């Protein structure tokens, strides 16, 4: 049954990670680690004037499911706001833990991981990319607020 988790689409996403690497001059960086399995995502972002993600890079060391989630995030993240990410994260958690349908809109592609709900040991690894991206975006907003206060 676990073989059903590793569909061709999931394996393709895992193998072709969009925006892999690090940014030379990020405004915000986030790192998230799944303590159970050690999956890790480090994300750098630059925001545009409206606070949307204008540039993005991710360094992800995770299982195929974590890599696949990072692949969906990488395909969909440019132009996203912190609110978009929060909504997607919350919908993803509801999908994994409470039978929710999963994210809609920009991050609807994360629904491909719906079957992971049946494997609690895999939940944390599927969350590292979105959590790190949200953390990076919040860090960028905080940095801008500090700069504005210093001016």
């Amino acid at each position: 049954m676990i073989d059903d988790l590793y569909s061709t689409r999931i394996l393709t996403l895992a193998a072709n990670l969009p925006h892999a690497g690090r940014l030379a001059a990020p405004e915000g960086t986030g790192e998230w680690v799944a303590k159970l399995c050690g999956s890790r995502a480090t994300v750098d972002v630059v925001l545009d004037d409206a606070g949307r993600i204008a540039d993005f890079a991710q360094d992800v060391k995770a299982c195929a499911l974590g890599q696949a989630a990072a692949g969906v995030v990488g395909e969909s993240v440019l132009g996203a706001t912190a609110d978009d990410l929060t909504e997607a994260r919350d919908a993803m958690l509801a999908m994994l833990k409470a039978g929710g349908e999963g994210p809609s809109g920009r991050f609807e592609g994360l629904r491909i991981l719906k079957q992971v709900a049946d494997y609690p040991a895999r939940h944390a690894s599927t969350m590292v990319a979105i959590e790190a991206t949200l953390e990076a975006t919040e860090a960028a907003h905080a940095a801008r607020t500090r700069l504005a206060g210093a001016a």
Side-chain angles (χ1 to χ4, degrees), residues 82-93 102-104 107 130 134:
D83 287 344
D84 294 335
L85 291 161
T86 299
E87 288 172 19
R89 189 260 329 261
D90 293 349
M92 185 76 171
L93 286 171
S104 59
F107 295 104
I130 196 140
L134 179 57

Side-chain angles (χ1 to χ4, degrees), residues 80-131:
T81 65
D83 287 344
D84 294 335
L85 291 161
T86 299
E87 288 172 19
R89 189 260 329 261
D90 293 349
M92 185 76 171
L93 286 171
M95 179 181 79
L96 293 173
K97 299 184 179 301
E101 289 302 310
S104 59
R106 175 184 298 277
F107 295 104
E108 188 170 329
L110 289 168
R111 289 181 178 194
I112 194 169
L113 297 161
K114 190 170 178 75
Q115 292 177 325
V116 176
D118 295 334
Y119 302 92
R122 304 273 201 255
H123 290 183
S125 67
T126 62
M127 295 299 299
V128 295
I130 196 140
E131 293 282 14

Side-chain angles (χ1 to χ4, degrees), residues 12-39:
T12 299
L13 282 165
N16 299 296
L17 191 65
H19 304 284
R22 302 291 306 271
L23 296 180
E27 283 186 279
T29 298
E31 183 174 80
W32 203 264
V33 178
K35 291 177 178 59
L36 182 64
C37 65
S39 290

Side-chain angles (χ1 to χ4, degrees), residues 8-91:
T8 301
R9 175 74 174 133
I10 285 176
L11 294 176
T12 299
L13 282 165
N16 299 296
L17 191 65
H19 304 284
R22 302 291 306 271
L23 296 180
E27 283 186 279
T29 298
E31 183 174 80
W32 203 264
V33 178
K35 291 177 178 59
L36 182 64
C37 65
S39 290
R40 172 185 310 268
T42 304
V43 170
D44 296 323
V45 299
V46 173
L47 305 178
D48 66 14
D49 291 339
R52 298 176 303 235
I53 296 174
D55 202 3
F56 169 87
Q58 59 183 342
D59 181 22
V60 181
K61 307 287 189 256
C63 66
L65 298 171
Q67 292 279 131
V72 172
V73 170
E75 288 178 345
S76 308
V77 75
L78 294 180
T81 65
D83 287 344
D84 294 335
L85 291 161
T86 299
E87 288 172 19
R89 189 260 329 261
D90 293 349

